[in-house]
Amino acid sequence: MLLGYTSIAVTLLIWASFFLSLKGGANSVLTPADIALTRFLIPAVFLFPLIYKARNAIASVPKIYLIGMFIGCGLPYLIVTSSAMQYVSVAQGSALVPGTLPLFVTMIAVFFFKQPLSHHRIIGLSLVISGIALFLYSSFSVNGDHANNTLIGSQTLGQLLFLLASLMWAIFTISARVANLNALVVAGLISFMSSILLVALIVAGVLPSYLYEQSVTQWPFNELITHGAIQGVGAGIIAAATYLYAVQTLGAERSAAFGSSTPVIATLLAIPIFQELPTLNSWVSLALICSGSLLASNIFLKKDASLDYEPPKRHA
């Protein structure tokens, strides 16, 4: 149990650091493609032996689920989140992705897998929707105060991109569950696929890259090391293993409950690092989204959270 609690604590710190790393990248000369390189190349190299060993199991997975995992956790997801972080604070970004995940997972489960909605989950998702609405209302109010405001202000655009990222992560969650592959195999496969596509897009000039356009002597190595440690080693390898171990030792519902505190940890860390002081509306929105996510995770029920949503598993 002690190792389980240690694992979930490490996972939460890595998840929170992931959003801090995105914010640091948004404030630097590095482009979203450069951040993606630090995220995918390291796990692609280190986990390739696992990918090769599991090649037969991977080949048996329906292509639709492989595509869903790639879109929801691979290069498309990271490009969306990296772009969104240029417009919003760490508090909003960290709340809108993991906080709204239960909303989109439930929507997919209800509409595509015909899963029933429990009363406590309806209450929890209502709180999540209220928090999202308050975030959007606040940004519209701020944008409305500017004379040269556009149809969609920059902050609202960032929030909408993060909601899209949350939907993508929900697609990944369900696709990975139905695919039923080892967590590290999934992490390595997504990183390998993303690395190949990313390098091709950079070389073709589709995605701008500061690293590709500048000489090696001009690279910000301190930033690259930091992003590589947090994005590549942390989020790409360690978090996948520690979260899986936490679920196995503490249970799914307890691990999900701890996961809902990620936005709070990220927000508190962003105060001294980026001097981001959330407004009262942001704190209220954060509280609504986190508490709603907590309720929707089934932590207050005796049964395990995983039993409330069970898509059909594929058969070999």
Side-chain angles (χ1 to χ4, degrees):
M1 292 293 289
L2 179 60
L3 287 176
Y5 284 117
T6 302
S7 296
I8 195 63
V10 171
T11 304
L12 294 180
L13 286 175
I14 292 175
W15 285 353
S17 300
F18 172 80
F19 290 98
L20 295 175
S21 177
L22 289 180
K23 188 64 176 180
N27 295 334
S28 73
V29 295
L30 297 176
T31 66
D34 296 326
I35 302 298
L37 280 173
T38 66
R39 167 65 178 84
F40 295 121
L41 279 179
I42 295 176
V45 172
F46 280 92
L47 297 178
F48 184 78
L50 290 179
I51 303 173
Y52 184 79
K53 186 177 181 180
R55 62 189 183 279
N56 292 330
I58 295 172
S60 67
V61 177
K63 298 299 185 291
I64 186 67
Y65 297 127
L66 294 177
I67 295 173
M69 289 189 294
F70 172 72
I71 292 176
C73 186
L75 180 60
Y77 169 80
L78 192 62
I79 292 295
V80 170
T81 53
S82 298
S83 301
M85 192 57 85
Q86 301 178 42
Y87 307 113
V88 300
S89 64
V90 172
Q92 296 188 31
S94 60
L96 289 175
V97 176
T100 62
L101 178 62
L103 173 64
F104 292 112
V105 170
T106 301
M107 288 172 56
I108 295 174
V110 170
F111 289 107
F112 293 96
F113 294 97
K114 309 302 179 184
Q115 296 291 319
L117 269 178
S118 58
H119 293 297
H120 79 280
R121 177 156 287 181
I122 293 176
I123 297 174
L125 296 179
S126 298
L127 291 175
V128 171
I129 293 174
S130 299
I132 297 173
L134 184 56
F135 266 139
L136 294 176
Y137 173 77
S138 300
S139 64
F140 274 123
S141 298
V142 171
N143 293 327
D145 292 337
H146 294 81
N148 59 342
N149 67 305
T150 59
L151 180 61
I152 299 180
S154 59
Q155 190 178 81
T156 305
L157 176 60
Q159 292 168 347
L160 293 177
L161 286 174
F162 269 123
L163 290 176
L164 173 61
S166 183
L167 174 60
M168 296 167 72
W169 187 263
I171 294 173
F172 159 75
T173 301
I174 294 178
S175 298
R177 180 163 186 160
V178 178
N180 200 26
L181 293 171
N182 176 274
L184 290 179
V185 171
V186 172
L189 177 63
I190 292 173
S191 297
F192 182 73
M193 295 167 61
S194 298
S195 298
I196 294 176
L197 178 59
L198 180 59
V199 172
L201 292 176
I202 290 176
V203 173
V206 177
L207 291 178
S209 170
Y210 179 85
L211 299 179
Y212 183 70
E213 296 170 356
Q214 302 295 328
S215 63
V216 177
T217 57
Q218 294 179 298
W219 286 7
F221 284 101
N222 290 337
E223 292 186 33
L224 290 175
I225 293 173
T226 301
H227 290 302
I230 296 175
Q231 299 273 358
V233 179
I237 301 176
I238 298 177
T242 55
Y243 185 67
L244 177 63
Y245 184 80
V247 170
Q248 292 173 343
T249 55
L250 303 179
E253 59 183 82
R254 198 174 290 175
S255 299
F258 280 115
S260 65
S261 64
T262 302
V264 178
I265 298 174
T267 301
L268 293 177
L269 290 175
I271 293 176
I273 296 176
F274 297 115
Q275 288 74 50
E276 288 187 359
L277 294 175
T279 63
L280 178 60
N281 283 343
S282 295
W283 282 118
V284 174
S285 302
L286 198 63
L288 288 172
I289 291 176
C290 290
S291 59
S293 178
L294 189 66
L295 280 174
S297 69
N298 287 351
I299 185 60
F300 298 113
L301 294 187
K302 293 183 179 180
K303 67 176 182 176
D304 191 276
S306 61
L307 299 179
D308 198 48
Y309 163 60
E310 189 67 31
K313 298 286 178 62
R314 67 178 180 88
H315 299 284

